[in-house]
Amino acid sequence: MKGYSNGESMLTKKLVIPFIVSASFIYLIPSPPLACSTARHRPHCASPAPTAAPRSWGSLNDPSDHLNIKNALRDLKLQKMSRAKADEDDYWNSSKFTLAFTFDEEDDDYTRLKESKKAVNSISALADEDDDDDDVEKVSWSGEPVGSISWSVKETASKLRPAGDSRELGFPKISASPSLPKNNSVYSLSSLFKAKTKVGGMLSSSDSFSDTPARHYAPELRKPKCEYKDYISNWSPQETILKMQQGKVVSLERFQSLQDKMLLLDKAVDGHDGNIITAILIYLKRSLCKEVLFRELVGRETALRHYIHYLKESGEQKVLLDLFRALGRTEDEALLQYKHHLTITDENKRRDFLKTCLGLPFSPEDSLHVQDHYTLLERQIIIEENDKQVERTGQSDVFKRFPRKASILNMPLITTLYYSCFYHYSEPELAEKQYFLTALAARAKLKAWTDVDSLFTTRNWLGFTKKKSPVAFQRVLDILHKNNAPVQVLEVYVNLLEDLELKINMAHKFKCHDVIINTYRDTKDKKQLLGYQKKFDMSSAEHKKIADVLNNSVRNTHTLHIRYRHTQSLYSKAIRPGCDDVLTVTFLLSKSVGRTEVWTTS
Amino acid sequence: MSPHATRRVFTSKGQTDGCSPPLSLIPMAQSIRRDSPELPDFSLLKRLARDQLIYLLEQLPGRKDLFIDADLMSPLDRIANVSTLKQHEVDKLYKVEYKPIVSTSDQLCFLIRPRLQSVKWICDVVNADKAAGKFRRYKLIFTPQKFYACENVLEEQGIFGDVTTDEWGFHLLPLDDDIISLELPEFFRDYFLDGNQRWVRTAGCVLHLLHSLYGPFSKVYGIGRCSKMAYESWREQVEEGEQKGRDGEIGSVFLFDRDVDYVTPMCSQVVYEGLVDDIFRIKCGCVEFGPEVTSSDKSLKVMLNSQDKVFNQIRNEHFSNVFGFLSQKAKNLQTAYDKRCGMDIKQIKTFVSEELKGLKQEHRLLSLHIGASESMMKKKTKQEFQELLKTEHSLLEGFDIRECITFIEEHINRQCSMIESLRLLCLLSLTENGLLSKDYKSMKAQYLQSYGVDHLPTFANLKQLGILVEQPTGETLTAMENKVGKLVNDRAAGKLTDAFSSLAKKSHFRALSRRLNLVPKSDEEYDLRVPKDMAYIFSGAYVPLSCKLIEQVLERDGWTGLEEVTRLLNGQEFAASGCSEADGKARSDTQRTILVMFLGGCTFSEISALRFLGKEKGYKFIIVTTAITNSARLIEALLDNRA
């Protein structure tokens, strides 16, 4: 095993074992002192897997070993022979890209691969005899001989600075990018490794190499201005940027007028160095009031994006929100604020926060999504509270058999649905009613009558649609009526009422004349019909209809008869074991014949 | 085994089993064609980085504890080992975890990426020490560079001067002979989503470094705004510094912005290396195979590069060829072991001393890759990969879009992988130039219902990046434009088109695909064993746009003739050449060594495609990338559903 190993003598019992080096990587554990006792364990040891103790190959003469290999090889041979089948490769030769390759277990080559695997594994007797030095599994510190370290830094530097030939390469500027004039500075970048020749700040304590040309740089304000004022004060914005790019000490304090500041910023942007652009922005942030800075950033897209990025990275969310607001980027503002919920761990606080998000200036569609998020979490909190209780008290069988792996809080909608189907499938009544009433109220409010219709429509296995509701249709009618549903809509649901008296009452209430007339017709109540007819003008459609009904009572009976037969045939079809619809059909047959109107072929 | 296939016989050099596999594989790095130049030696980069780190550690003499940023650990692992650090008086190593520290050392060294969060944490550490009256020395080493914003935090937190800061210019990590990574996955989001240009200069530095060590470059091509800026930054640095005169090892450079082609990285990878990356996640050239692969109870970390002889032969292969190859390899291995049967003692001795070790190593590699293939197969079968691929191919072809939408919808409704669903939506949007408004609204709603409303900001990000958008209502314009176009003559129609296209900005995948012939005709047979073009990396269904552009530009020595294509890609292309081209012919090998730099990441599939292109045209490609990426990494970088 290469490198520094765990064979290193232990420090003291008191000391931690900060790293344990396996063959592959540094393993770092800022472990508490206790860890000492288990010092030698190597959790991810990547050393080869010699299950048996290494044996030397000299032992090949050892009969037992020999036998092992022989057996292994015989196995191999047998396999090889059995595989002397037709050339599967033709398959691949005739490949076409869409069919070329199937990730399919049945695949020929896959089988072949499996066989090769077996073959290779069967000679594992040999594989166990690994020497350490040819280990490929090991990702060793790839260090070259330690001696090479003596290659000193000076050597490195001299290698990089070959004899004085300073041939210029004539690479041209490219048009689109603004560029800077050639710099006359004596500072040379001949050494590629700038850091080698500089010390980090002026107050640096890393002084051992102070004789090397130090690159001092510090943003500004570090020393009293007067100390270096005279030798830098005359730098133009352009020169200043250039010096900064070279890592030299500059003072930005000199740029006091707004015009100078902006000139400086624009020059920085022209230099394409994000580091410098950000540095200037930090200075501007300190030396300009927010409103002015924000105003100036409008129209300076590059600078603006750097500023936003800087604010994000340094976690100054408030300033960022102000910025978005000032720029009129309301959606960004809303999203940023919304993102804050991710940092809230308490679910109730999170829900309350989401509620405050509902009023944020999202785009209309996002606004709906956030609304969904809020409602979902609200429900999840209720479910979670309930289920935790149920689980703890062991009331429910399904929780006992399948204990919950995680809380449902903050899960996506589909996961929540899955969860509900998993744990609460057998108790749909409440949920279904809740859903119906909520959905009905919402869709009715929007006067989306087709949506309302589809809420009740279910399709049975015969392809017929029928209307079902978990709540009484009377209740449905109330809701619809309150939402000013037109008579045509109400009629449909009045017709669904099973109690005749109730039906007539409701029909009267909602003025569903057709329903009333039909009902009287079906109950053959001539007296009521005549009485009802009197309510209408002679010229009205209703008056005419009642007259028609009374005149055609014979033909009407016939129609009813046909309807009845139709229903019967449905009934006979429906009689199959296990079919829910049998009940429905029976039920329908037992009720008034007018009920068949509910049935419509799809 | 396959008498019909055209054979490309291996050079048997380095084949310990003594028989070359008669498969039509493309042994990329192994059999070097006469006209493919040798690769420069990039291990120098590692040495430079390590020596610089040592130098920096020596800046803080005496024993010290070292805290390392989590995502710097693997890269560091590739260039140094613990004993190196020990020798320079590093006592203990810790991972940066943003928690109070337990170190007792009186010197602390922090090796971090220049992130405000890390700096803030260090400030907390220092301030806590101050409050406890503990005196320590602190050193912050930023890599690859420090930002003013970081120093600003030090200043604001009142510890500027209490700590020393330095930069470790660890810009480039060679992951393989032909792949160099900046290991900066955040480049993608920072630049392409947030529009932050802080890594532009870093990219310029990288070019400068490579130019100084392996240059001078003769030509630079590029496409994309970031590429342009990186080029400018590099050029300025060349002007600042001195330039040495020597023969270069790299000829041309191609700079490529990821946003020029989002379609390619959004496709499922089916080339072995890409597939391994999609499924197991190759991290810093290393993959962890779980127990399902190793057929033991342990996980193994495995380096995947050209040193692995078996891997090297299958990495660029379409997955369907891999089975055949591995079976053949197993047979060969068996034969090699078999040889031993009739041997006498002396022969066995020779066998053991000369061949056995190689055989054993091959054996182990083989069982590992068989295990991996098997496990990948199982996973892909489970998730109906075949149907998924079919959908992707339909999208690329622009065929049966309604059916694709239904497939994606069901994928979402069944709550299949959240990333995968987003990937398909993005692919749909990218290829169809956005979704119809009603589709967009309904898909978004269903997505939020399946995976949580917290993904709202994610959708905002995807929209901002332009990879999942509603179709511009200007579609009606296009329809009108087509009608008008038929009525008037071509020239007038051209003008009209220009006028209209300025109104409705489009992603032009369909038009590009037609113009560059990216989707081969589906009624043609495509033999994946003998690929005829780069489309083989996507089962013959699609030639990656990125690689096709590179091919075209190299072929034409510039952008001439590609005007329509660049117009469809929103311009930003450039080509520049250095003037010192005197010794032209002598360096013809160099001219065919091409460095392609992907800003924002590239996929293993693209690398495979370029290796194939190099093989066909006699180029040698060196891939420099800000990070290795794939669809999942791209999408994860854009997620915003976590605090």
Side-chain angles (χ1 to χ4, degrees), chain B residues 312-352:
Chain B
N312 197 38
Q313 286 173 347
I314 54 175
R315 65 195 305 187
N316 299 308
E317 284 297 309
H318 189 273
F319 193 50
S320 61
N321 288 349
V322 170
F323 300 119
F325 175 79
L326 292 177
S327 320
Q328 182 61 38
K329 224 29 186 169
K331 268 191 213 164
N332 294 346
L333 186 66
Q334 189 179 10
T335 319
Y337 276 125
D338 282 352
K339 270 201 315 197
R340 205 190 39 80
C341 281
M343 288 178 182
D344 57 29
I345 299 288
K346 200 180 161 198
Q347 284 169 319
I348 286 183
K349 252 188 181 162
T350 329
F351 174 78
V352 168

Side-chain angles (χ1 to χ4, degrees), chain A residues 4 18-19 24 26 28 30 57 60 69 73 76-77 83 87 89-90 93 95-97 100-104 109-110 112-113 116-117 120 123 126 129-131 134 137 139 141-143 146 148-149 151 153 156 160 162 165-167 169-174 176 179 189 192-193 195-196 198 200 205-206 209 217 222 244 272-275 279 282 286 302 305-306 309-310 313-314 335 338-339 366 369 412-415, chain B residues 1 3-4 48 50-52 54-55 59 73 77-78 80-82 84 86-87 91-94 116 120 137 146-148 151-152 155 160 164-167 190 193-198 201 208-209 211 216 220 228-229 231-232 234-235 240 243-245 295 300-301 319-320 323-324 327 331 334 337 340 348 356 360 363-364 367 370 374 377 380 385-386 415 444 448-450 452-453 460 464 522 526 528-529 539 580 640:
Chain A
Y4 181 74
F19 60 90
S24 64
I26 325 170
L28 302 151
W57 262 103
L60 205 83
I69 295 158
L73 289 169
L76 260 178
K77 227 175 205 168
R83 290 212 328 93
D87 192 356
D89 288 344
D90 284 353
N93 281 330
S95 72
K96 206 183 140 193
F97 77 81
F101 175 56
T102 51
F103 281 84
D104 193 344
D109 268 58
Y110 185 58
R112 204 168 57 185
L113 182 73
S116 343
K117 189 184 178 179
V120 170
I123 37 179
L126 290 170
E129 317 253 335
D130 290 336
D131 313 341
D134 61 336
E137 294 100 308
V139 180
W141 285 82
S142 60
V146 176
S148 71
I149 286 159
W151 203 36
V153 178
T156 316
L160 290 168
D165 178 15
S166 61
R167 181 172 59 155
L169 270 191
F171 273 102
K173 288 180 184 179
I174 39 179
S179 54
L189 279 182
L192 298 157
F193 303 111
K196 216 175 278 166
K198 74 197 169 216
S205 63
S206 132
F209 276 76
Y217 76 65
R222 195 128 33 255
M244 284 178 84
H272 305 314
D273 186 341
N275 179 26
I282 292 172
R286 282 189 206 164
T302 305
R305 296 185 80 179
H306 279 83
H309 190 256
Y310 170 72
E313 203 192 348
S314 58
L335 277 174
Y338 167 76
K339 254 186 85 173
D366 284 2
H369 294 314
L413 179 68
I414 297 293
T415 313
Chain B
M1 177 147 189
H4 314 291
L48 288 175
R50 190 181 54 227
D51 291 345
Q52 198 196 352
I54 289 165
Y55 173 85
Q59 298 294 292
M73 285 170 57
D77 218 355
R78 295 289 103 79
N81 58 37
V82 178
T84 319
K86 283 274 151 181
Q87 277 173 352
D91 198 6
K92 290 170 211 146
L93 289 167
Y94 297 92
L116 298 191
K120 272 184 184 152
R137 295 176 84 179
K146 71 180 157 191
F147 292 138
Y148 280 104
E151 293 195 312
N152 184 54
E155 190 178 339
F160 199 99
T164 58
T165 59
D166 254 315
E167 280 179 343
D190 280 354
L193 181 66
D194 292 333
N196 190 309
Q197 301 169 359
R198 59 184 176 190
R201 192 172 166 88
H208 186 38
L209 176 60
H211 183 248
V220 180
K228 262 188 181 175
M229 293 191 292
Y231 168 83
E232 274 296 289
W234 163 63
R235 209 184 46 81
E240 283 168 16
Q243 185 54 49
K244 62 206 159 102
S295 328
L300 286 183
K301 285 204 168 191
F319 193 50
S320 61
F323 300 119
S327 320
K331 268 191 213 164
Q334 189 179 10
Y337 276 125
R340 205 190 39 80
I348 286 183
L356 197 59
K360 278 193 307 175
H363 183 176
R364 192 174 31 232
S367 48
I370 288 174
E374 196 180 38
M377 192 72 190
K380 288 300 182 187
F385 196 47
Q386 197 55 38
Q415 294 186 299
K444 179 172 168 184
L448 297 178
Q449 286 165 352
S450 275
V453 183
Q464 160 120 15
S522 59
Y526 199 100
L528 291 170
R529 297 167 54 91
S539 312
S580 56
D640 238 337

Side-chain angles (χ1 to χ4, degrees), chain A residues 515-562:
Chain A
V515 179
I516 296 169
I517 295 167
N518 289 340
T519 315
Y520 288 150
R521 178 201 62 196
D522 294 347
T523 54
K524 304 192 179 91
D525 197 336
K526 192 171 176 181
K527 196 179 140 204
Q528 288 284 2
L529 267 177
L530 285 169
Y532 197 60
Q533 195 179 26
K534 285 181 189 131
K535 288 187 179 173
F536 298 100
D537 277 357
M538 290 290 280
S539 56
S540 69
E542 285 80 7
H543 195 281
K544 194 171 174 292
K545 186 172 176 182
I546 296 173
D548 281 353
V549 168
L550 291 169
N551 294 337
N552 295 314
S553 54
V554 178
R555 211 178 72 207
N556 220 18
T557 317
H558 178 67
T559 320
L560 280 173
H561 181 66
I562 291 173

Side-chain angles (χ1 to χ4, degrees), chain A residues 392-445:
Chain A
R392 202 173 36 237
T393 53
Q395 290 164 3
S396 163
D397 189 42
V398 66
F399 284 98
K400 264 186 256 167
R401 279 197 296 149
F402 305 99
R404 303 189 308 156
K405 289 199 181 76
S407 111
I408 191 61
L409 294 172
N410 300 316
M411 291 297 161
L413 179 68
I414 297 293
T415 313
T416 314
L417 180 63
Y418 178 83
Y419 176 95
S420 302
C421 291
F422 196 96
Y423 289 110
H424 301 284
Y425 196 69
S426 51
E427 38 187 296
E429 241 181 304
L430 179 73
E432 205 183 356
K433 262 185 204 168
Q434 274 177 332
Y435 172 73
F436 262 90
L437 289 174
T438 318
L440 180 63
R443 299 326 288 170
K445 185 100 189 159

